[in-house]
Amino acid sequence: MTSIRVLHSADLSQADLDSMRRLFDEAWHDEGFTDEDWEHAFPGMHYIVGDEGAVRSHVAVVERDIHVAGRPLRTGYVENVATRAAERRRGLGTAVMALAGEHIRANFDLGALGPYPSKKQPGHA
């Protein structure tokens, strides 16, 4: 079984933050992972496979309000989903997403996911 650490942004070590940034830079090297993309994962809950400073797979859930028909819905927004290239196809991403989904179902009205990188989405300059 894969061990997953669940940490709030405030509880991440500097080693975790450095390893996460390297993971995201690797995952989106062709598109370019920006500081703005990085900031989207904070503050939130982080689901991490890997020891401190050796993040192999990651997903963050941050709280946002999305308005539907003028009504705000507390939304668990999934951000910065990535798995190291050498670790893919082993179920690590599925494992962190499953726990993130449980967190969203238990704590939010709605769950949402934005694909990366944001600047490549249609309609974005």
Side-chain angles (χ1 to χ4, degrees):
M1 167 134 176
T2 300
S3 175
I4 299 174
R5 295 183 299 136
V6 180
L7 300 164
H8 187 273
S9 295
D11 298 321
L12 292 166
S13 70
Q14 188 61 51
D16 280 328
L17 292 167
D18 293 344
S19 183
M20 286 165 48
R21 184 59 192 245
R22 285 190 304 273
L23 168 62
F24 305 147
D25 286 339
E26 172 191 307
W28 294 288
H29 63 39
D30 290 338
E31 296 87 0
F33 186 79
T34 68
D35 290 342
E36 182 180 351
D37 295 326
W38 169 255
E39 292 169 9
H40 289 175
F42 303 96
M45 294 301 297
H46 299 263
Y47 299 83
I48 298 171
V49 174
D51 297 325
E52 184 175 1
V55 176
R56 298 164 45 210
S57 188
H58 171 275
V59 63
V61 176
V62 297
E63 183 173 343
R64 299 235 168 77
D65 280 338
I66 292 181
H67 294 259
V68 177
R71 179 177 164 235
L73 297 175
R74 282 188 64 239
T75 303
Y77 206 88
V78 176
E79 293 278 4
N80 296 23
V81 181
T83 300
R84 292 217 178 273
E87 302 284 346
R88 293 182 187 146
R89 314 293 291 165
R90 297 181 184 175
L92 303 182
T94 299
V96 292
M97 283 297 294
L99 282 181
E102 289 176 16
H103 174 69
I104 290 167
R105 281 188 293 281
N107 295 287
F108 297 97
D109 300 320
L110 178 70
L113 168 70
Y116 271 97
S118 58
K119 61 187 163 291
K120 296 285 186 176
Q121 293 179 23
H124 286 81

